[in-house]
Amino acid sequence: MTEQALKVLLNDLSLEEKVMQLVQLPGVAYESGAAVTGLLNDTAKARTLRLAGSTLGIWGAEKLNRLQKEYMENHPHHIPLLMMLDVIHGHKTVFPCPLGQGAAFDPELTERAAAVQAREAAADGIHVTFSPMADLCRDARWGRVMESTGEDKYLNGLMAAAMTRGYQGKNLKDAGSVAACVKHFAAYGAAEAGRDYQNTELSEHTLREQYLPAYRCAVEAGARLVMSSFNTWEGVPSSANPWLMQTVLREEMGFSGAVISDWNAVGELVPHGIAKDEKEAALLAMRAGIDIDMCSGCYEKHLGALVEEGKVSLDMLDAAVLRVLRLKNELGLFEEPFHGAAPDKAKAILGAAEHRSLARKAAAESLVLLKNEGETLPLKGGKIAFIGPYADEKHLHSAWAISTDREDGVTVWQAAKEAFGQEAELRLAPGCLMLADGTATSLEVFTCPDAEKENARLLAEAKEAAAWADTVVLCLGEHFHQTGESASKVDIGLPEPQRRLLNALKPDCKRLAMLIFCGRPLTLQAESEASHALMICWLPGTEGGHGIMDVLTGREALSGKLPMSFPRHVGQEPLHYDQYMTGRPRPKEGIGSFTSHYLDCPNEALYPFGYGLSYTDFRVSAIRLSGDQLAKTGELTAAVTLTNTGKRAGTAVLQLYIRDLVGSRVRPIKELKGVRRVPLQPGEEKEITFAITEPMLRFWTVNRRMESEPGDFQAWIGLDSSTENTAFFTMTE
Ligand code: BGC
């Protein structure tokens, strides 16, 4: 449809029809109604179902095509219904959770993974995914760090853009594309004390320098929707904040798509104490620039009256409706309302072998090896015991992978049997229950009345297996409902039965390789000390077991790096490598009285951002700068020679960091400004260069502008954020 035709259509809509384009209903309303039983008849409820512009949380080509057909037949203007879903790290084929994808430091792979997710979701009737989540995450207590790609704005920006490109493809009209919705705008990740839905206290310069850039990257990559966040900034919830949603998002970032609220976020303006009732909530949200009200009912109930009373202008309403109609049009729904979804096609595409093989590669790439004493890994065969509640666990995805099938998951144990065949003797023992009786998760309280007895039985079996084995592969981790939404924690250690299991098994293990499944950084000091090898597996997805065994057997190289700092103690949170300089930095030596430090814990992470071992060794030469002066319009080249000094092929993840030594505001200790994945054969050497230009040095100065300031800078190039391989340069006027 042309823009002109869209406007003609808009002008022809009744007030009610317009308002309802801005209303999103939960899919269950349709599941119990139209799609299944033909409920689009003339009851009051059916009227809402017939007119609402979009729905979420249901999938399935047959069901959604039937719904679309019936909906359009009943809609007075035959406008198609928009179907949205949280496809966060997979529809049927599940990839590593976003934090795991962050660990791969491989935007190209993430883009391909997103394209697979889009293809599967679109074939199954979906038009929009609520992803990427570009929230910066610095506090591991917040459960939703699992849904992000970590603590660094630059990496998050690369990933958010990659996901957006992958989901949307070249043309939204293409059958395999879905529209991306970047969320949660803005600064949802800064929830105070890491408690979900809590507000933020965040300065404007930190908001602009640290929190906004990754959303901007998704917007610049073309994301067609933005979701407003639950939290406040400067005391105003995003869904009632015109400065954020219009001045920043539309005017500064140039966003032209549709804005949707988070679930019930418009209604929550009332408990926030910002609106006195739902009608005022609808008014504030509309004025802020929220186009679609996700499931609060406030627009549905009150927007028509607000327009009739002149509190919301018709122009404002029309502009919002037009953005929704445009989105439908960009997806080609007016011409092809099913967007290529079809049951046969879905059957062939969902979980296709090539999708699973990409998920396997992605799982292998996401693994981060933190310790490998005496080359415990790769495994050498012999007698290997796989112990722990994750050893034979199929559920290797997050709670957000709602549309997948748990039974499709490949466990570590299954993959180990395939990988070793007769070449090793293998044993399996669960060791303990995943959680202690009475543990709260995001959805329910875990109960097992006989937990003590059951754990004692499992432990006896595990001890025997450990004593028998040459190597124990201990598979521990959080329950998948301990991260994600509504899963904040103050204790970010392993669940208690698993800590007990480790202590009890330690004396029996000759060699101990520990695999940790998690959706957040955990406190792993004791676990690190107790093990010879320690590997972070995140929530690796459908092909998790295969990806892990590919690496454990050495068939695949290891290249994953931490996308968030792993703390020594939860009391260090929020912990991130790019902290601002303090006037009293802790000295390298001594106890550092009256400097910025803890009495009972180092300042540094146990394992820092960007860290991860490989099966080979890399040497990075000193930095060679093309000059020591950078003109504002010029470019400096920073080069190093990278050598694979080990015996195996591997991929190094080279990282460029920069610090502004003197600024009008305090500057971070260092900031990531470039990443290169470099595959190298044993003995191979490559020169790797990074360009340094003025835009990379901009920040929110005291002039309240994003700009750079001439002066001295320090650059580092190395294999993690603690590298000391450094050089200096000056930016001239
Ligand atoms: C979450 C969003 C999600 C939405 C729709 C909300 O509770 O905060 O991230 O996209 O639900 O499922």
Side-chain angles (χ1 to χ4, degrees):
M1 223 187 245
T2 61
E3 175 79 4
Q4 187 52 33
L6 277 186
K7 286 187 175 151
V8 171
L9 172 64
L10 173 72
N11 287 336
D12 206 41
L13 300 182
S14 67
L15 177 59
E16 185 189 24
E17 281 175 84
K18 286 182 182 175
V19 166
M20 290 305 291
Q21 281 303 308
L22 309 186
V23 171
Q24 178 161 87
L25 296 181
V28 285
Y30 287 101
E31 278 200 310
S32 56
V36 186
T37 58
L39 211 146
L40 293 183
N41 49 36
D42 213 5
T43 62
K45 176 73 186 162
R47 199 166 174 76
T48 307
L49 291 171
R50 268 193 306 169
L51 296 180
S54 59
T55 186
L56 83 163
I58 45 175
W59 61 93
E62 197 192 333
K63 187 200 301 177
L64 297 197
N65 284 3
R66 193 150 27 101
L67 170 60
Q68 185 71 292
K69 187 166 170 292
E70 193 178 345
Y71 174 92
M72 287 179 73
E73 278 165 6
N74 283 281
H75 190 280
H77 282 85
H78 313 296
I79 297 177
L81 178 65
L82 202 49
M83 323 276 189
M84 309 197 188
L85 184 66
D86 290 275
V87 183
I88 306 299
H89 57 119
H91 182 56
K92 173 87 161 154
T93 307
V94 181
F95 290 80
C97 66
L99 197 59
Q101 292 188 44
F105 275 66
D106 190 350
E108 221 177 283
L109 179 64
T110 282
E111 182 172 338
R112 287 168 63 203
V116 165
Q117 296 172 57
R119 207 175 305 142
E120 290 194 354
D124 223 14
I126 301 305
H127 309 138
V128 174
T129 176
F130 296 124
S131 176
M133 180 175 119
D135 301 323
L136 188 76
C137 294
R138 296 173 152 185
D139 196 328
R141 292 171 296 181
W142 194 47
R144 301 199 78 169
V145 304
M146 180 277 293
E147 300 169 55
S148 82
T149 48
E151 75 182 37
D152 182 73
K153 58 182 180 297
Y154 176 79
L155 181 64
N156 287 354
L158 293 180
M159 292 300 185
M163 287 183 198
T164 302
R165 288 193 301 269
Y167 294 136
Q168 298 195 161
K170 291 209 168 54
N171 186 342
L172 271 188
K173 288 193 172 62
D174 292 345
S177 299
V178 298
C181 175
V182 58
K183 68 188 189 185
H184 306 82
F185 197 79
Y188 183 36
E192 254 192 324
R195 208 173 79 223
D196 206 6
Y197 315 127
Q198 186 48 287
N199 295 314
T200 70
E201 276 305 326
L202 195 64
S203 63
E204 182 174 351
H205 80 105
T206 300
L207 175 79
R208 286 183 174 277
E209 284 170 21
Q210 313 294 333
Y211 284 82
L212 294 184
Y215 306 113
R216 181 190 278 270
C217 289
V219 166
E220 286 174 355
R224 297 316 298 143
L225 294 98
V226 168
M227 186 187 292
S228 68
S229 59
F230 290 125
N231 58 281
T232 63
W233 183 72
E234 284 208 334
V236 183
S238 303
S239 303
N241 190 338
W243 176 79
L244 193 61
M245 306 314 297
Q246 287 174 34
T247 311
V248 174
L249 180 63
R250 293 203 183 277
E251 289 166 30
E252 294 181 16
M253 295 190 182
F255 178 67
S256 61
V259 172
I260 184 167
S261 78
D262 202 342
W263 181 286
N264 193 38
V266 177
E268 287 166 23
L269 297 178
V270 178
H272 255 127
I274 284 288
K276 71 174 187 310
D277 54 27
E278 289 192 344
K279 187 167 180 186
E280 193 179 6
L283 176 63
L284 291 177
M286 199 60 199
R287 283 191 179 157
I290 307 299
D291 298 325
I292 303 174
D293 171 8
M294 186 196 289
C295 302
S296 86
C298 295
Y299 281 11
E300 180 192 339
K301 284 182 243 162
H302 303 292
L303 197 47
L306 288 167
V307 173
E308 275 162 356
E309 290 161 18
K311 292 192 176 126
V312 169
S313 71
L314 200 53
D315 282 353
M316 186 182 271
L317 177 73
D318 281 355
V321 176
L322 191 57
R323 284 192 285 267
V324 174
L325 295 178
R326 272 196 202 121
L327 176 60
K328 295 183 179 187
N329 194 36
E330 282 167 351
L331 283 156
L333 297 182
F334 288 100
E335 291 80 25
E336 211 297 68
F338 307 123
H339 195 54
D344 285 356
K345 186 169 157 193
K347 210 165 160 217
I349 285 184
L350 268 59
E354 69 266 26
H355 296 178
R356 292 190 70 126
S357 97
L358 190 67
R360 179 172 183 159
K361 179 176 160 57
E365 265 201 24
S366 73
L367 307 174
V368 185
L369 185 65
L370 298 180
K371 184 176 176 186
N372 196 16
E373 230 172 64
E375 296 197 2
T376 299
L377 297 178
L379 296 171
K380 318 273 180 302
K383 294 177 182 167
I384 310 173
F386 288 83
I387 300 179
Y390 264 106
D392 197 23
E393 175 58 58
K394 276 181 181 294
H395 201 300
L396 296 177
H397 48 262
S398 80
W400 272 123
I402 43 182
S403 40
T404 191
D405 189 344
R406 177 185 176 277
E407 289 309 309
D408 286 348
V410 177
T411 75
V412 174
W413 172 244
Q414 285 171 334
K417 285 188 294 182
E418 283 174 32
F420 284 110
Q422 302 305 314
E423 284 162 36
E425 287 181 70
L426 307 179
R427 274 205 201 172
L428 170 71
C432 65
L433 297 167
M434 179 89 73
L435 296 174
D437 183 36
T439 306
T441 70
S442 59
L443 264 197
E444 60 208 353
V445 175
F446 176 84
T447 49
C448 176
D450 281 335
E452 219 167 292
K453 225 166 104 200
E454 184 61 2
N455 279 330
R457 185 184 69 77
L458 294 171
L459 177 62
E461 185 186 280
K463 277 182 82 71
E464 204 199 307
W468 162 86
D470 304 323
T471 306
V472 170
V473 179
L474 192 55
C475 305
L476 306 178
E478 295 180 304
H479 185 272
F480 71 96
H481 269 148
Q482 290 187 301
T483 51
E485 189 171 350
S486 188
S488 298
K489 292 176 77 196
V490 297
D491 178 351
I492 53 170
L494 284 174
E496 188 256 349
Q498 302 187 37
R499 288 186 231 182
R500 276 200 279 144
L501 172 68
L502 172 62
N503 282 332
L505 279 191
K506 256 190 311 193
D508 303 309
C509 298
K510 295 176 205 76
R511 292 208 89 46
L512 175 57
M514 201 180 303
L515 309 186
I516 301 287
F517 294 78
C518 57
R520 60 153 62 82
L522 298 174
T523 45
L524 294 175
Q525 183 128 19
E527 289 73 8
S528 171
E529 283 162 14
S531 53
H532 299 97
L534 177 64
M535 191 161 92
I536 305 301
C537 302
W538 316 108
L539 295 168
T542 310
E543 284 286 331
H546 281 143
I548 289 167
M549 283 316 299
D550 288 345
V551 165
L552 290 194
T553 53
R555 223 176 321 148
E556 284 280 346
L558 257 168
S559 57
K561 307 286 162 195
L562 292 181
M564 282 186 84
S565 309
F566 270 50
R568 294 165 197 271
H569 191 282
V570 66
Q572 293 177 293
E573 295 294 331
L575 180 64
H576 50 100
Y577 79 95
D578 53 348
Q579 298 183 354
Y580 291 121
M581 287 299 298
T582 155
R584 292 188 173 198
R586 183 179 194 169
K588 280 210 168 103
E589 308 288 331
I591 62 168
S593 300
F594 302 102
T595 63
S596 179
H597 73 292
Y598 301 104
L599 294 177
D600 52 355
C601 182
N603 288 356
E604 292 75 29
L606 180 63
Y607 292 108
F609 174 83
Y611 180 80
L613 300 171
S614 110
Y615 286 151
T616 189
D617 291 312
F618 297 106
R619 189 179 55 229
V620 184
S621 74
I623 304 178
R624 297 182 297 278
L625 289 178
S626 55
D628 58 5
Q629 307 274 311
L630 170 66
K632 263 202 155 173
T633 51
E635 182 177 306
L636 266 191
T637 304
V640 291
T641 306
L642 180 67
T643 314
N644 180 345
T645 56
K647 294 191 189 63
R648 290 168 165 272
T651 298
V653 177
L654 211 53
Q655 302 157 41
L656 166 74
Y657 294 88
I658 296 183
R659 166 151 121 212
D660 187 342
L661 290 170
V662 181
S664 59
R665 283 189 206 278
V666 289
R667 309 303 312 125
I669 294 169
K670 57 176 63 150
E671 294 173 284
L672 184 67
K673 296 288 179 181
V675 172
R676 290 268 190 297
R677 290 177 55 82
V678 189
L680 287 177
Q681 292 302 317
E684 195 183 348
E685 187 168 283
K686 270 188 196 154
E687 173 163 302
I688 307 298
T689 58
F690 292 91
I692 301 176
T693 55
E694 181 274 331
M696 292 160 74
L697 310 178
R698 293 181 190 165
F699 67 100
W700 190 249
T701 68
V702 286
N703 297 329
R704 307 179 64 75
R705 276 199 300 269
M706 284 304 266
E707 59 186 358
S708 61
E709 293 175 340
D712 295 335
F713 294 82
Q714 185 171 5
W716 293 260
I717 299 179
L719 297 171
D720 65 65
S721 62
S722 68
T723 175
E724 300 201 344
N725 188 28
T726 190
F728 295 85
F729 64 93
T730 303
M731 187 172 71
T732 54
E733 288 287 350

